[in-house]
Each structure stands twice: as structure tokens, then as C-alpha cells.
Amino acid sequence: MTGAEVLDAARAALLTVARVSPPLMMIGTVVGMLVFPFQVLTQIHEQTLIYVLKIIATFLTLLIALPFMLDLTHRQFVRTVAQIMASAN
């Protein structure tokens, strides 16, 4: 593979990561923003509360978004293998 092909493959991989990760990060952020006012209003300052809720929300989001995430990563894997095989010939 030439340098340009490697850069294109790296760019495509980074774009795939940028498209796969936001659902999980956004849910964690939203849950944190929703729990924080509740903690302030009730004066419950338990640190594990926010982490447990974030873990549960992230897990549920992962279950829902997993087909989308797997499809994107599988297509990226197939493209990368095809580029490697084409450059090997």
C-alpha cells in the first residue's frame, strides 16, 4: 500500500469511529445532565448514583444501537481487507 492509501484507510477508520461512538457518548452525557439537577435538588451527593445510571443507560443504548454499529464496523473491515488484498496483488 502506498502512503496515500494508508492515509485514506486511516481516515476511513477514524470516520467510522466517529460515526459509531456518538450514540453511547450522547446518552451518557444526557443521563448525567438529567441526574445532576436531581442530585442538587434532593441534596443526594452519592457519586455511584450517576455512574450506575450511566452504565445502565449506556448498556440499553448499546443493545439498541448494536446492529447499526456492527454494520458500520463490518463494512469498514471489508473495505480495509479489500484494500489490503488489492495492494498485495
Side-chain angles (χ1 to χ4, degrees), residues 22-35:
L24 299 177
M25 293 188 317
M26 287 178 7
I27 289 298
T29 302
V30 168
V31 168
M33 291 173 62
L34 292 175
V35 171

Side-chain angles (χ1 to χ4, degrees), residues 16-83:
T16 300
V17 169
R19 291 187 347 206
V20 167
S21 60
L24 299 177
M25 293 188 317
M26 287 178 7
I27 289 298
T29 302
V30 168
V31 168
M33 291 173 62
L34 292 175
V35 171
F36 179 72
F38 173 76
Q39 285 182 316
V40 170
L41 292 174
T42 60
Q43 295 182 354
I44 298 174
H45 297 294
E46 180 63 34
Q47 294 296 319
T48 57
L49 175 67
I50 196 165
Y51 292 118
V52 170
L53 292 175
K54 279 184 178 182
I55 289 170
I56 291 169
T58 302
F59 179 71
L60 292 175
T61 304
L62 183 63
L63 287 177
I64 294 168
L66 194 59
F68 162 75
M69 296 166 80
L70 285 176
D71 183 52
L72 283 177
T73 54
H74 179 260
R75 283 191 275 151
Q76 176 61 34
F77 175 75
V78 169
R79 280 193 304 265
T80 303
V81 169
Q83 285 179 341

